[in-house]
Amino acid sequence: MDGFIQQVINGFLQMSWQEATGVIFGIVSVFCSRANSVWVYPTGLVSTGFFTYLFAKPGVGLYAEAGLNAYYFIMSVYGWYNWTRQKDGHNAVGISWMSRRDWQIALGIVVVGWVFIWWVLRTFTDSTVPILDALVSAAAWSGMWLLAKRKIENWVMLNVSNFIAVPLLLYKGLAPTAVLTVILFIVAVNGYFHWRRIYREQLNEQV
């Protein structure tokens, strides 16, 4: 435990301004997501832009994580558009539970994404952790798609990714980002129950 704490402290002391910026905006973005605020996307764009650069740097080599953040960037643009669309003076996309088709698509993204990303990492990169790196990214791909659709289960899928990512980030010496991921995990648990409450309030307003 002492070793972990020292690793975190050393990581913060040695943290680059790019990682610090990504961490700060990442935390802000997740709290905006929990609050069901569209600001999740502009703040997320800043965070993912910096993390795409950080993970792809020589010596880090988390290429799937870099690709994941590039995907986050693209999905943030889509999600921003989707969340702000209006229909009859109201948001066109409200919080909802996943349908059977949503589950099929979400799980399909995980399975196909995992195999594809693993193959890319094994074939074209020097990644030392292709299986776990690919799984983290595939689960997060699915979670971000669900977030853009405002599906409550996005929190579950994103936390599968967060849970696996923490030891992976510590192994790569990115302790501050690992701490951020732990914070994201905790906020995601809270966000799941918060979105359920918002969903019930939406139903009451429609009665």
Side-chain angles (χ1 to χ4, degrees):
M1 185 64 180
D2 290 342
F4 169 74
I5 294 173
Q6 190 59 51
Q7 184 181 2
V8 172
I9 293 172
N10 291 339
F12 274 105
L13 291 175
Q14 300 167 9
M15 186 166 54
S16 67
W17 69 269
Q18 294 99 330
E19 185 176 2
T21 303
V23 167
I24 291 169
F25 275 89
I27 292 173
V28 172
S29 179
V30 131
F31 275 100
C32 289
S33 178
R34 179 204 173 276
N36 194 31
S37 168
V38 73
W39 280 96
V40 58
Y41 290 114
T43 53
L45 286 170
V46 175
S47 178
T48 55
F50 278 104
F51 277 122
T52 299
Y53 163 78
L54 176 67
F55 287 134
K57 284 177 61 177
V60 177
L62 289 175
Y63 303 111
E65 288 284 307
L68 168 62
N69 277 272
Y71 170 79
Y72 275 179
F73 192 94
I74 295 169
M75 285 302 293
S76 291
V77 174
Y78 168 69
W80 196 351
Y81 160 76
N82 209 32
W83 279 36
T84 53
R85 282 193 300 122
Q86 296 289 309
K87 183 178 181 181
D88 300 326
H90 300 283
N91 287 336
V93 180
I95 291 176
S96 63
W97 291 100
M98 291 169 63
S99 66
R100 182 176 180 178
R101 177 164 176 76
D102 291 329
W103 273 111
Q104 291 171 343
I105 295 173
L107 293 177
I109 291 172
V110 173
V111 174
V112 174
W114 189 8
V115 172
F116 173 73
I117 297 168
W118 171 82
W119 175 77
V120 170
L121 293 177
R122 283 293 304 271
T123 306
F124 300 106
T125 78
D126 58 354
S127 174
T128 58
V129 285
I131 294 176
L132 289 181
D133 196 10
L135 181 56
V136 168
S137 296
W141 277 16
S142 183
M144 279 298 291
W145 177 74
L146 293 172
L147 176 62
K149 296 288 187 181
R150 260 184 172 147
K151 299 298 180 180
I152 296 172
E153 294 90 343
N154 87 85
W155 298 107
V156 177
M157 195 66 72
L158 289 174
N159 256 358
V160 170
S161 176
N162 290 333
F163 183 80
I164 301 167
V166 172
L168 190 60
L169 291 166
L170 289 174
Y171 173 72
K172 286 295 183 175
L174 295 172
T177 305
V179 171
L180 165 64
T181 306
V182 172
I183 294 172
L184 298 185
F185 185 95
I186 295 169
V187 174
V189 172
N190 182 264
Y192 172 80
F193 291 103
H194 185 64
W195 274 36
R196 285 179 58 175
R197 188 160 56 250
I198 294 174
Y199 175 71
R200 288 195 297 267
E201 290 171 357
Q202 287 178 177
L203 292 181
N204 292 334
E205 290 173 359
Q206 294 170 8
V207 175

